[in-house]
Amino acid sequence: MRHFWVKVFAVLAMALGGGHVAVAQSPAMQGSAATVAIAPRLHFSPEEMRLAKAAASDPALAAFYGANGLKPVFTGPEGKVRRQALREAITNMPAHGISVSRYRPQALAAAGEDLAAEMMHARMLARLIHDLTGGVIDPAKAVPGVHRKVSRPSAARLMGKFVLSDDPAALLSGLAPQNRAYGALQTALQEMSALSPPTDLPRAPEAVWRLGMRGDGVLPLRERLASIGFAADSSDPRLYDEALSQAVARYQQAVGLDPDGVAGPNTIRRLNSDGVDARSRAVLIALERMRWMGDEDLEKRLVWVNIPEFTARILEGGEEVFRTRVVVGKTEADMQTPEFSDQMEYVVVNPRWNVPRSITVKEYLPKLKANRYAVSHLDVVDGNGNVVPRDNIDFARYTAANFPYRMRQKPSGDNALGLVKFIFPNNWNIYLHDTPTKYLFAERQRAYSHGCIRIGDPFDLAYQLLSQQSDDPRGVFHRALDSGRETWLHLKPNVPVHLVYFTAFPDDAGNIQYFNDIYGRDATIWSLMEKAGLDLGA
């Protein structure tokens, strides 16, 4: 109880006012710094005290109402427009893949003009702001390997803008990401929803219907197709005729199935579903992931690495100017490429490879114990970076916990990092780099690294990155390469780099492309989205 009253007093303190006001000055006083401090307000009405108590448990609401002088904003005649704007925004939440049930629309509609109604509207407004400006779930807590930091704007500040806005509905509609990718995903979701029959229609029994077949199961098949714009009139509705076969083919093409005109189990299951198949789930998850990145300016020049697509791009103004294949981390939990955003600072030519300790002790130390001259392409170095002759080391003495040395590979064409790497300093020691194992880029599924991203066309990537600071980026790069020495080329300005994980994402034409969930991250996120009450496409 004591902590509760501390919170209440904190809300009251924000409503106390304060500051200074200038007083009238005589000519003799002009030019002086005469001001009078306003005494803080010490008395509050019973209504203000009740509002302070109601808001105290929620930091955003406490900050908002404290800054608003403990005045209600949703009740009374002036609150009508705000209530309507909030309810309109809630009605539109399925366009973002978020269920209206998350915002208690029926309870809001039935609410009166009392304090409970005021707080209910305020809480739902704060929740809607939270969801649109940073996502429904916390990505850092969602899945191991997701290190994305969501930078949400102040809910109290946005609530204040909402109250002062001449068009509060427009303010709420502009909270979601405004980039082209988010819009394309919304369009795809809308089109998918249009392909879902009403839930009250009878389901079609699973079968294999071909041209010329007849049966009662054709009737619900026709009805469900007709409800979503694929009608096929017939004098014999139980007959699977040519018109129905063509309607099925058009439907199959619309939902991404083989348009063979045969209504088999896959087609019927999709037609019977509530709209949430693998593709629609991928789009819903992609919208949530885009909200996690709502504070990122995706119109800037940037590097975009989509892990399940095995592709890296340079984008300018949201459009692709460079693309290359990549190899990403293996599917084992400790080797998966993480998701995060950073700033690419350096192109390192002729890099040395400082072997990560995890690889040193797990893979190389056992070999060195068996044969001190194993992995001879690597130097053993001490804490000062000095190469230590292997004859001077008794490898059998050491374990993974106490091995005191590091391992390093000199610059060369056979170096594990190839001839160039791209650095954006981070806590996970992840970067982009060249590789001598070029054959892996011919594979369709390219998850083979220890976590870093191997680049299929590393020289071309370097030229593109250096082109913003030099008229001769090739010359700059090759002079460094020909030196044979490790050379760090500072990128000016730094380039944002985003390691992302989208299993559904629009191409340049706005068409959604789909990729395998190689790490199983979507499955985990989807379960959390369901718990959070996201729209399931119904």
Side-chain angles (χ1 to χ4, degrees):
M1 181 61 70
R2 176 176 177 272
H3 293 296
F4 170 75
W5 282 106
V6 168
K7 293 179 180 179
V8 173
F9 291 140
V11 178
L12 295 174
M14 285 185 284
L16 287 176
H20 294 81
V21 62
V23 299
Q25 300 178 9
S26 68
M29 294 174 60
Q30 289 180 0
S32 68
T35 57
V36 175
I38 297 175
R41 185 154 63 105
L42 300 178
H43 300 286
F44 298 88
S45 69
E47 293 79 9
E48 291 171 334
M49 287 294 295
R50 284 194 291 270
L51 195 151
K53 292 177 186 177
S57 62
D58 187 308
L61 298 190
F64 166 66
Y65 281 109
N68 199 52
L70 299 178
K71 303 300 181 186
V73 298
F74 285 107
T75 53
E78 294 182 358
K80 183 177 180 180
V81 172
R82 296 167 191 151
R83 293 195 300 271
Q84 182 59 36
L86 175 59
R87 294 172 193 177
E88 179 183 325
I90 290 171
T91 301
N92 292 331
M93 290 306 283
H96 301 278
I98 305 177
S99 173
V100 297
S101 63
R102 195 170 149 74
Y103 310 98
R104 304 180 62 192
Q106 294 178 337
L108 290 178
E113 292 282 336
D114 56 7
L115 179 59
E118 173 74 25
M119 299 312 299
M120 185 187 303
H121 280 83
R123 288 192 176 95
M124 293 306 103
L125 174 61
R127 173 173 286 187
L128 185 142
I129 289 172
H130 168 277
D131 294 349
L132 288 180
T133 60
V136 176
I137 62 178
D138 182 350
K141 298 177 181 177
V143 184
V146 179
H147 305 304
R148 189 156 303 288
K149 295 180 180 178
V150 177
S151 179
R152 302 178 190 270
S154 164
R157 180 179 61 81
L158 287 176
M159 291 175 74
K161 292 180 66 175
F162 172 82
V163 168
L164 295 175
S165 175
D166 293 332
D167 190 350
L171 184 143
L172 294 182
S173 68
L175 292 180
Q178 299 298 304
N179 56 67
R180 279 177 279 182
Y182 193 83
L185 290 165
Q186 284 188 292
T187 299
L189 181 62
Q190 182 180 13
E191 292 172 349
M192 290 174 171
S193 298
L195 294 172
S196 297
T199 56
D200 59 347
L201 288 182
R203 293 175 177 258
E206 287 192 21
V208 178
W209 296 102
R210 302 179 187 276
L211 195 62
M213 298 177 68
R214 179 181 280 103
D216 290 339
V218 177
L219 297 174
L221 180 63
R222 283 184 180 277
E223 188 175 9
R224 293 185 76 83
L225 285 168
S227 72
I228 53 175
F230 296 93
D233 295 333
S234 175
S235 59
D236 185 356
R238 297 175 67 254
L239 174 66
Y240 196 88
D241 54 18
E242 179 65 28
L244 181 56
S245 177
Q246 292 178 4
V248 167
R250 293 196 305 272
Y251 169 76
Q252 289 169 327
Q253 186 170 30
V255 297
L257 297 173
D258 181 19
D260 58 8
V262 175
N266 287 339
T267 298
I268 294 175
R269 285 190 203 113
R270 178 64 180 83
L271 190 60
N272 283 339
S273 75
D274 57 8
V276 187
D277 60 1
R279 290 192 169 197
S280 57
R281 277 197 301 271
V283 169
L284 289 165
I285 293 167
L287 285 165
E288 174 72 357
R289 287 181 176 275
M290 288 300 296
R291 289 189 289 268
W292 295 349
M293 302 180 70
D295 65 314
E296 299 284 357
D297 184 357
L298 301 185
E299 296 300 307
K300 286 183 176 179
R301 176 179 168 86
L302 54 85
V303 176
W304 184 268
V305 181
N306 191 16
I307 296 165
E309 187 184 0
F310 309 110
T311 301
R313 293 174 170 83
I314 294 179
L315 304 177
E316 290 183 357
E319 296 185 357
E320 178 183 310
V321 298
F322 173 78
R323 179 196 303 194
T324 183
R325 293 184 174 190
V326 301
V327 170
V328 301
K330 298 177 182 178
T331 56
E332 287 88 338
D334 60 343
M335 295 187 187
Q336 295 178 7
T337 299
E339 301 168 53
F340 62 96
S341 295
D342 214 307
Q343 294 286 319
M344 187 175 289
E345 299 181 20
Y346 301 99
V347 175
V348 183
V349 188
N350 297 317
R352 293 181 295 180
W353 181 39
N354 294 299
V355 183
R357 182 169 179 82
S358 60
I359 299 177
T360 296
V361 298
K362 289 181 181 179
E363 298 184 21
Y364 294 151
L365 181 57
K367 295 179 181 179
L368 292 169
K369 286 184 175 184
N371 175 11
R372 70 174 64 233
Y373 302 110
V375 291
S376 58
H377 62 292
L378 300 175
D379 291 330
V380 180
V381 298
D382 60 22
N384 295 320
N386 300 312
V387 177
V388 180
R390 298 187 181 202
D391 290 337
N392 296 347
I393 303 172
D394 181 4
F395 291 102
R397 294 177 50 200
Y398 299 111
T399 66
N402 65 11
F403 189 60
Y405 301 103
R406 295 184 293 111
M407 304 195 75
R408 187 174 66 200
Q409 187 177 16
K410 297 182 179 71
S412 72
D414 295 328
N415 187 293
L417 304 184
L419 294 171
V420 60
K421 68 178 179 179
F422 307 87
I423 297 294
F424 37 103
N426 58 81
N427 295 332
W428 307 280
N429 197 29
I430 297 295
Y431 43 86
L432 280 58
H433 65 86
D434 182 17
T435 176
T437 54
K438 305 293 187 183
Y439 67 92
L440 292 176
F441 295 106
E443 299 288 335
R444 185 173 182 180
Q445 301 289 316
R446 298 187 290 277
Y448 295 107
S449 81
H450 287 82
C452 287
I453 299 101
R454 304 176 189 173
I455 303 297
D457 301 295
F459 285 17
D460 292 333
L461 176 59
Y463 305 154
Q464 285 284 341
L465 290 170
L466 293 169
S467 67
Q468 301 299 294
Q469 63 195 69
S470 172
D471 294 332
D472 183 21
R474 290 173 178 261
V476 170
F477 178 83
H478 282 281
R479 282 191 291 274
L481 183 67
D482 294 343
S483 74
R485 300 186 302 273
E486 184 177 77
T487 304
W488 290 55
L489 303 175
H490 191 187
L491 290 175
K492 301 177 182 178
N494 295 343
V495 181
V497 57
H498 303 286
L499 308 188
V500 299
Y501 192 98
F502 285 96
T503 55
F505 206 76
D507 58 21
D508 282 348
N511 300 314
I512 306 301
Q513 304 299 317
Y514 297 91
F515 313 101
N516 291 333
D517 182 12
I518 58 172
Y519 295 157
R521 291 179 184 172
D522 275 15
T524 303
I525 291 171
W526 178 248
S527 67
L528 295 172
M529 291 169 68
E530 287 186 300
K531 291 177 183 177
L534 291 206
D535 187 21
L536 303 185

